[in-house]
Amino acid sequence: MSADNSGGNVSVPLRNLLNSIQCIRDRAKDGESNESDGVFNLSNFWGTLNQAVKAVSLEATKLSLAFSKPPLPSQQDGEKLSESILKSVLTLSTVYYWLPKSQGVSLRRQVRDATVEVLDGVTQLLEVILSSPLQSLSQEQLTSTGGVWSACDRFGQLPQDNKAAVLVVLSSQIAVVKDAIEEIEQALSEAEDPFNDVLDDDQEEENPRGNQDMYWSEQDRRVIAPCQGLMKASTACLRKLTSAVKANGDSGSPQNVAQLDDLADISKEISPGVDDLALCLYPPMDYSGVENNVSKLAALLKKFLEIIRSSHVCGESELTWVQFLEGAVDHNLQKAKDLIQQDS
C-alpha cells in the first residue's frame, strides 16, 4: 500500500493503534463501572466526559488531515499521532467507567452506547485510512471522519440523569408500539386482501381467488377488536407512565433510581409482546395462538401496572388511571377469550 512508500512504514503504528482501540471498545461494551464509597458528582462527570469527547473528535480530525494529501507522515510522526489518539481514547473510556450503576443502569447504558459509538467511529476511520490509497482524501475517509464527529456530537443530546434516561426508553417504546397498532389498522381498513400486493393473481375474473385463508372473516374481525383494545391499552400504559415519571420521577436516592430502572426494563418487554400479538392476527388466524399471545400481553401489562403502583412515581392522582387501565386490560382479555371460545 502507499503508506509503505513513505519515509518509514507508517502503517505499523496505525495498525497497532487500531488493535488497541478495538480492545478498548470491546471492554467498554461489557466492562463494569468503578463503584466507589465516595460521593459521586454527576455534574463534574459530565464536564469531564464532554471534554474527553471533544479531545477524541479533535484527534480524529488531525489524523484524517494528516492522511488527506501528500506528503504522508513519517513513521515517527505516525507514532506521535497514534500515541495522541490513544491517549484521548483511553481518557474517554476511563471517564465512562467513572459512572457508577448507582446513578442508574438506564443512564449508564446510554452513555456506554454513545461511548462505544465513538470508538466504533475511530476504528472505522483507521480501517479506511489503512485500506485506501493515501495520496488523496477519499469520500470514504470524509464519511468516516464525519461519522466520528457525529458520534461525538451525540453526547450533547444524552440524558443527564436516570430520570431523563428512562424517559428516552419510554419514548422509543411508545413509537414501536404505535407503529404495530397503525400497521394492523391499515391492513384492516383495506377492503381487499391485505396480501394482494405480494401474491400473483392471474386467475380470470369469473374464477376469483379461492384461498379464503388470505382474508379476514367477520368472525376474525370480531376477535381482532379486543386484541386491538389490549394493544391500545399498552400505549396508554406507556404514555401515562411517561407523564408520571416527568411529574414525580426522582433520581436523588438509590431506591428511586432502581425503581426507575425497573420501570424502564419492563417497558422494553411490552413492544415485543404487542408485536407478537399483532403478527398472529394476520390471516390465516390461529385462534389458539391469538389466545396465547393475548394472555401473555395482558399478564405483562398487569405486572407493569403493579410495578408502577408500587413505585415512587405513583401518587394519588396516578392511582386512578392505574386502576382504570387494569380494568381495561381485564375487559379486553376476557372479551377476546369469550369470542375465541364462542367461535372455536
Side-chain angles (χ1 to χ4, degrees):
M1 58 179 272
S2 52
D4 296 344
N5 297 328
S6 58
N9 191 351
V10 74
S11 69
V12 172
L14 292 186
R15 289 197 182 283
N16 291 336
L17 175 64
L18 176 60
N19 291 334
S20 297
I21 294 178
Q22 286 172 333
C23 290
I24 294 167
R25 177 198 60 193
D26 293 343
R27 282 200 300 271
K29 282 181 179 178
D30 304 313
E32 294 295 323
S33 58
N34 298 324
E35 293 286 350
S36 64
D37 296 330
V39 177
F40 181 79
N41 189 312
L42 193 57
S43 177
N44 286 350
F45 165 78
W46 282 114
T48 309
L49 184 68
N50 287 327
Q51 287 302 314
V53 170
K54 287 177 184 175
V56 173
S57 181
L58 179 62
E59 293 300 331
T61 304
K62 288 180 184 176
L63 174 72
S64 189
L65 285 172
F67 288 91
S68 63
K69 60 184 179 180
L72 296 173
S74 64
Q75 182 170 353
Q76 185 179 11
D77 287 340
E79 286 171 354
K80 287 180 181 176
L81 267 172
S82 297
E83 286 171 10
S84 190
I85 293 170
L86 184 58
K87 182 181 177 183
S88 72
V89 165
L90 281 169
T91 301
L92 172 60
S93 65
T94 300
V95 176
Y96 154 66
Y97 283 122
W98 288 354
L99 182 63
K101 284 184 180 177
S102 58
Q103 290 295 316
V105 175
S106 301
L107 177 64
R108 193 167 183 277
R109 281 174 184 155
Q110 290 175 47
V111 176
R112 176 199 64 198
D113 291 347
T115 302
V116 170
E117 189 179 342
V118 169
L119 300 180
D120 279 336
V122 177
T123 298
Q124 184 183 22
L125 175 59
L126 281 164
E127 288 172 343
V128 167
I129 289 172
L130 282 163
S131 63
S132 304
L134 300 181
Q135 287 88 350
S136 62
L137 183 62
S138 68
Q139 183 58 49
E140 194 177 3
Q141 187 176 328
L142 277 171
T143 302
S144 297
T145 308
V148 176
W149 294 341
S150 177
C152 291
D153 288 346
R154 181 184 165 194
F155 278 77
Q157 282 77 51
L158 284 177
Q160 299 295 292
D161 59 23
N162 209 46
K163 173 180 173 178
V166 170
L167 288 171
V168 170
V169 172
L170 292 173
S171 176
S172 68
Q173 292 304 303
I174 289 169
V176 175
V177 172
K178 188 176 170 220
D179 285 346
I181 292 171
E182 288 177 352
E183 283 174 20
I184 200 77
E185 286 177 347
Q186 177 65 29
L188 283 164
S189 69
E190 293 173 357
E192 298 179 22
D193 172 8
F195 293 94
N196 65 348
D197 58 337
V198 294
L199 293 176
D200 291 324
D201 191 0
D202 297 324
Q203 296 169 320
E204 300 295 328
E205 286 185 13
E206 61 266 27
N207 183 23
R209 183 186 300 163
N211 186 0
Q212 293 301 314
D213 284 346
M214 290 296 101
Y215 299 83
W216 277 299
S217 66
E218 286 306 310
Q219 172 183 319
D220 291 341
R221 288 175 181 268
R222 283 196 300 272
V223 171
I224 288 173
C227 296
Q228 286 180 286
L230 199 60
M231 293 161 72
K232 287 175 181 176
S234 302
T235 308
C237 287
L238 290 166
R239 288 190 187 281
K240 287 292 188 180
L241 175 59
T242 298
S243 298
V245 171
K246 284 179 180 175
N248 307 324
D250 172 56
S251 295
S253 74
Q255 181 183 0
N256 288 351
V257 166
Q259 286 179 356
L260 289 172
D261 282 330
D262 288 343
L263 290 167
D265 285 344
I266 192 167
S267 75
K268 287 189 279 193
E269 296 179 34
I270 292 177
S271 60
V274 170
D275 282 340
D276 289 344
L277 177 55
L279 285 171
C280 74
L281 296 180
Y282 284 91
M285 277 175 63
D286 170 17
Y287 283 9
S288 64
V290 173
E291 184 171 7
N292 182 42
N293 282 299
V294 163
S295 299
K296 281 183 179 177
L297 180 57
L300 177 60
L301 291 175
K302 289 170 85 168
K303 179 182 174 186
F304 184 46
L305 289 165
E306 187 55 42
I307 292 175
I308 294 173
R309 184 197 288 270
S310 61
S311 76
H312 72 278
V313 304
C314 185
E316 287 296 324
S317 59
E318 284 75 27
L319 271 178
T320 306
W321 60 257
V322 167
Q323 291 166 351
F324 173 81
L325 286 170
E326 284 173 339
V329 169
D330 285 333
H331 170 76
N332 284 295
L333 172 63
Q334 194 57 51
K335 190 173 179 184
K337 284 187 169 182
D338 289 346
L339 286 167
I340 288 170
Q341 288 161 12
Q342 169 188 321
D343 294 330
S344 58

